[in-house]
Amino acid sequence: MQIAVLKERRPGEARVAATPDTVKKLVALGATVTIEAGAGAGSSIPDARYKDAGATIAPDAASALKDADVVFKVQRPLRDGAVNELALMKKGAALISALGALQNKDDVAAYAAAGITAFAMELVPRITRAQSMDILSSQANLAGYRAVLEATHIYGRVLPMMMTAAGTVAPARVFIMGVGVAGLQAIATARRLGAIVSATDVRPATKEQVESLGAKFVMVDDDETKQAETSGGYAREMSDEYKRKQAALIAETITKQDIVITTALIPGRKAPVLVSEEMVRTMKPGSVIVDLAVEAGGNCPLSKPDEIVDVGGVKIAGYTNLPSRIAEDASALYSKNLLAFLTPLIDKETKALKIDAADEIVAGTLVTQGGQIVHPSLKAGA
């Protein structure tokens, strides 16, 4: 089985889908691994390290993909521009990547038309057996950490209380909105830096997690909160009445904050608005908002992708790819997710790919196969 790892070409993407460590393990599984030259440069991995791990270095994407049975990527393949990555893949090849399949349906149709067997790694089900494959968790964890560092960089003051001969500096107040993986890491990081931290989420089950990290939990407590979490562990879309009550509580809370980090996402849906323009204008000049949901429309309607917007002295940062800003660790974790996903699909006898469509993880991630769109959420009429 030939595995190809491409250099990422989308703007701002420094990660890579394999590391020398995972290459060694893939080779031990019986695979031949080809790395496109320069693929690891953004993650400080020179080609020589891949070669030492047992990989072959290909001079370009076409050479890497020519005979590839499996293609590892971080971002979905390009379909236009100087390098049409999808067109270079052979029919029947398996593409394993974060595809944003629910949002990029035209791309999914193109995978089917090209005869590609495409797995969308962002759709890995949140079950115990799949935890080691969950790219959303591994990358969100790093995004939550980096969000606090970015906010601290933009913020014009320190986070911890400081007692000096010249006087005492009060600690910053940090408010985390959305207590998933990113939110929990943001809480932990802000607490380590000495801030006074509070957090909110529609899921009451997160209260204990928030408080265990030393933060205060802020939430509307009514009957609807009992149904606020899906069976998959995601936040459910709430009623307009609940949103009104939550907005009133947040409006009261947010005026006291120095830093706000929003992390709320609903898979396949536009991100919910958590911080309105009116709320932003009640915040103190010098305050900072970091919107981690900007790619899905933003938790704050004033945020703009990869820009820092100044609204009356309040700075709103809308970074679209925070894991790429910690590319070495992000690549290490992402590549391990892909390795964990592929390993059970390799037949022990033939060393070829063996796809069991009845397997829960395969069924959850497989979007195209045999020229057809096969994922239930993407089929016509879904």
Side-chain angles (χ1 to χ4, degrees):
M1 179 172 60
Q2 177 79 41
I3 299 173
V5 180
L6 295 188
K7 176 170 63 179
E8 298 297 323
R9 291 175 167 79
R10 292 188 182 274
E13 185 53 77
R15 292 172 292 175
V16 63
T19 63
D21 179 55
T22 60
V23 166
K24 286 179 184 176
K25 292 174 181 175
L26 290 167
V27 171
L29 289 170
T32 301
V33 182
T34 301
I35 308 286
E36 183 183 355
S43 295
S44 303
I45 307 172
D47 292 343
R49 285 189 58 202
Y50 283 119
K51 198 169 183 178
D52 290 345
T56 299
I57 307 301
D60 51 37
S63 301
L65 292 170
K66 183 176 64 172
D67 299 315
D69 304 300
V70 176
V71 180
F72 278 1
K73 284 193 92 295
V74 177
Q75 300 270 3
R76 68 190 190 278
L78 294 170
R79 295 197 289 125
D80 52 26
V83 179
N84 185 329
E85 295 169 331
L86 181 61
L88 294 173
M89 295 181 195
K90 73 177 186 180
K91 186 176 181 180
L95 168 65
I96 303 176
S97 176
L99 301 176
L102 299 179
Q103 293 79 33
N104 301 293
K105 295 183 179 179
D106 288 347
D107 286 325
V108 172
Y111 307 149
I116 300 298
T117 300
F119 293 93
M121 288 299 293
E122 75 278 3
L123 299 179
V124 167
R126 288 199 160 170
I127 57 176
T128 302
R129 186 163 58 91
Q131 285 181 348
S132 62
M133 312 171 191
D134 190 350
I135 65 166
L136 295 184
S137 291
S138 72
Q139 302 304 292
N141 197 18
L142 294 171
Y145 164 79
R146 186 70 188 200
V148 175
L149 300 190
E150 296 292 347
T152 305
H153 176 69
I154 298 166
Y155 186 52
R157 298 170 59 191
V158 300
L159 262 64
M161 175 185 284
M162 289 190 178
M163 300 180 73
T164 75
T168 300
V169 178
R173 293 183 176 274
V174 177
F175 187 39
I176 312 299
M177 304 185 72
V179 188
V181 174
L184 287 169
Q185 185 56 248
I187 292 168
T189 303
R191 286 283 295 152
R192 290 189 198 105
L193 292 175
I196 296 173
V197 184
S198 56
T200 186
D201 197 287
V202 298
R203 298 165 296 172
T206 60
K207 179 180 180 181
E208 185 177 340
Q209 295 172 305
V210 169
E211 292 177 344
S212 72
L213 292 171
K216 179 184 176 183
F217 191 59
V218 178
M219 185 191 72
V220 169
D221 190 7
D222 63 13
D223 289 340
E224 189 173 352
T225 60
K226 297 172 184 175
Q227 288 83 41
E229 187 171 351
T230 69
S231 58
Y234 297 99
R236 190 184 300 278
E237 183 79 8
M238 305 301 279
S239 70
D240 290 341
E241 177 60 25
Y242 181 91
K243 290 177 184 177
R244 279 191 291 272
K245 288 190 280 188
Q246 181 76 350
L249 177 62
I250 298 308
E252 179 185 348
T253 303
I254 212 166
T255 59
K256 307 168 187 174
Q257 307 304 314
D258 300 300
I259 293 172
V260 175
I261 296 174
T262 68
T263 72
L265 286 166
I266 300 170
R269 302 282 296 276
K270 188 177 184 298
V273 173
L274 302 182
V275 183
S276 66
E277 181 175 350
E278 292 76 13
M279 292 178 190
V280 172
R281 295 190 185 280
T282 68
M283 296 178 71
K284 297 171 288 186
S287 301
V288 176
I289 298 171
V290 177
D291 188 347
L292 294 189
V294 68
E295 278 188 291
N299 295 142
C300 177
L302 299 176
S303 62
K304 294 183 179 179
D306 295 314
E307 291 186 27
I308 298 176
V309 180
D310 191 313
V311 181
V314 178
K315 293 182 173 63
I316 307 169
Y319 300 124
T320 57
N321 191 353
L322 284 175
S324 183
R325 292 171 180 249
I326 328 172
E328 291 183 53
D329 285 331
S331 295
L333 296 181
Y334 182 87
S335 63
K336 287 177 183 176
N337 293 146
L338 266 57
L339 173 66
F341 179 82
L342 179 65
T343 299
L345 302 183
I346 299 175
D347 186 273
K348 292 181 180 179
E349 299 296 327
T350 65
K351 306 299 181 183
L353 203 63
K354 185 177 181 180
I355 299 171
D356 179 7
D359 181 271
E360 185 177 3
I361 297 172
V362 171
T365 55
L366 185 62
V367 293
T368 63
Q369 187 179 34
Q372 302 293 321
I373 296 173
V374 297
H375 197 280
S377 298
L378 292 164
K379 287 181 180 179

